[in-house]
Amino acid sequence: MLRMKRTPSPDKPRAPHPPRPPRPPRPRAVQSHEVRIIGGQYKRSKLQVADKPGLRPTPDRVRETLFNWLGQDLSGWRCLDAFAGTGALGFEAASRGAAQVLLIEQDAALVAQLKRVQEQLTATAVQVLRGDGVAAMRHACAGSLELIFLDPPFDSTLFESAVQAAAPALAVTGFVYLEAPRRWLDAELHGLGLQLHRHLRAGMVHAHLLRRIDVVADSAG
């Protein structure tokens, strides 16, 4: 007896899989929310770092290099930090004997935090003001500051106006510290009356120590 072959039945369409629910976002790695003063009278004192967009304390390695460039003793220096943030640069200067350190910050919460640190350290040389750092430099007396810190938020457009405002306020033998996301060219600096004295790159940070052009020319002559 002959057996008839069965004709295979057409495959039934499979029901579509239900969409997978989206994965929950991974928690961000916990980052340090404090930095330490690395030298001088207030060495090892902690400075709190608020969780705010754009707030980026100068890395320890860069601060250490900067104060090696400047020398560890800033006795008698008058300093201004135009974008104080955590105050790490200004408090480092006060820790090394600066006579006056003016910290300028626009954010009210950061200003309150800076004042708390100033009181905790009994840092009598430090004054904290809420305001516009560029405007503060423009109102400073010509040639009145031995050291100016410029560390604006990296995504801001304040760099050129800040450097331009700093140059007239700088003492003849003074320094401007500029922290930026790129290296500034000599041609840019010369147009503002400044010249590169030292430079360091650390990751995304370009650290510049600047001097007045007339001082560099005199020393070269």
Side-chain angles (χ1 to χ4, degrees):
M1 182 176 179
L2 294 175
R3 295 183 177 178
M4 301 295 291
K5 291 183 179 180
R6 289 186 177 182
T7 304
S9 59
D11 293 338
K12 294 182 180 180
R14 296 181 181 178
H17 293 291
R20 293 181 180 179
R23 293 182 179 179
R26 293 182 180 180
R28 291 190 304 171
V30 177
Q31 299 186 8
S32 172
H33 284 277
E34 64 184 25
V35 294
R36 291 177 184 266
I37 296 175
I38 56 178
Q41 179 182 355
Y42 309 128
K43 185 176 180 179
R44 298 190 182 90
S45 297
K46 297 178 182 179
L47 306 177
Q48 295 301 312
V49 180
D51 189 12
K52 286 182 173 289
L55 186 62
R56 174 192 39 77
T58 299
D60 288 359
R61 175 195 166 195
V62 175
R63 275 187 290 135
E64 184 175 7
T65 301
L66 170 61
F67 285 95
N68 285 338
W69 289 342
L70 294 170
Q72 300 300 320
D73 184 3
L74 306 187
S75 296
W77 288 32
R78 295 157 296 176
C79 311
L80 184 148
D81 189 345
F83 307 92
T86 63
L89 292 171
F91 285 116
E92 287 282 2
S95 185
R96 290 164 166 80
Q100 299 175 15
V101 180
L102 181 57
L103 304 182
I104 309 292
E105 174 56 51
Q106 287 190 319
D107 186 281
L110 293 178
V111 169
Q113 181 173 290
L114 289 169
K115 288 182 176 180
R116 285 195 295 270
V117 174
Q118 187 270 339
E119 292 172 359
Q120 290 167 4
L121 297 177
T122 321
T124 55
V126 176
Q127 182 181 7
V128 180
L129 293 179
R130 185 182 182 189
D132 182 333
V134 174
M137 289 186 288
R138 287 174 179 161
H139 286 93
C141 294
S144 62
L145 299 168
E146 279 79 28
L147 180 58
I148 300 173
F149 298 111
L150 302 179
D151 184 13
F154 274 11
D155 60 353
S156 76
T157 58
L158 295 169
F159 286 91
E160 185 172 353
S161 60
V163 175
Q164 188 174 30
L170 194 62
V172 173
T173 57
F175 297 93
V176 173
Y177 171 70
L178 171 64
E179 191 168 311
R182 66 171 180 86
R183 179 167 182 159
W184 274 54
L185 304 176
D186 286 340
E188 296 175 285
L189 296 169
H190 290 175
L192 300 171
L194 297 169
Q195 184 161 315
L196 184 66
H197 181 63
R198 294 281 189 274
H199 174 264
L200 167 71
R201 181 175 182 179
M204 300 298 291
V205 173
H206 286 264
H208 310 71
L209 193 61
L210 312 176
R211 299 190 72 184
R212 285 171 44 163
I213 284 180
D214 51 359
V215 174
V216 177
D218 289 346
S219 61

